[in-house]
Amino acid sequence: MPVTEYQLDQYRMALGLRADATAAAIKKAYLQKSYALIRSGASENDKAQLRAAHDALLAELGAEEVRQQAALRVQGAHEQKIAESAKLAAA
């Protein structure tokens, strides 16, 4: 089931991240918050929620990268067709 923008915002808040966080920033924030939870003796549920936030944000980041790559491929194919049409028109 897809994650909503509201859920992503909640996950970012849990990790203290901005919307444009990189994979490295997500991992770093997760490790810092995770260690803090361990030191404070937090419940397994708290740790699981933090892990879920980490996993969901990384999955969304990966999905966004796939969408961007697909868009670039489509754009490249479109530009190639335009160039081919221009060649044919010039001939």
Side-chain angles (χ1 to χ4, degrees):
M1 182 161 82
V3 179
T4 66
E5 195 60 39
Y6 175 78
Q7 289 170 314
L8 291 172
D9 287 341
Q10 295 298 308
Y11 293 149
R12 288 183 197 106
M13 284 193 322
L15 290 170
L17 296 168
R18 297 181 350 186
D20 62 349
T22 63
I26 293 168
K27 290 174 186 177
K28 180 178 178 181
Y30 169 73
L31 288 175
Q32 289 174 338
K33 297 278 183 173
S34 181
Y35 290 142
L37 286 177
I38 291 168
R39 284 191 303 270
S40 69
S43 70
E44 289 302 314
N45 185 46
D46 290 341
K47 294 175 194 174
Q49 287 178 350
L50 190 67
R51 179 69 177 175
H54 166 265
D55 292 348
L57 289 173
L58 285 180
E60 179 61 24
L61 186 63
E64 180 61 28
E65 288 174 358
V66 168
R67 287 190 292 269
Q68 289 175 354
Q69 290 172 358
L72 288 174
R73 282 193 301 275
V74 168
Q75 181 182 1
H78 179 69
E79 289 172 358
Q80 184 177 4
K81 286 182 182 181
I82 291 172
E84 289 171 0
S85 296
K87 274 185 180 179
L88 289 174

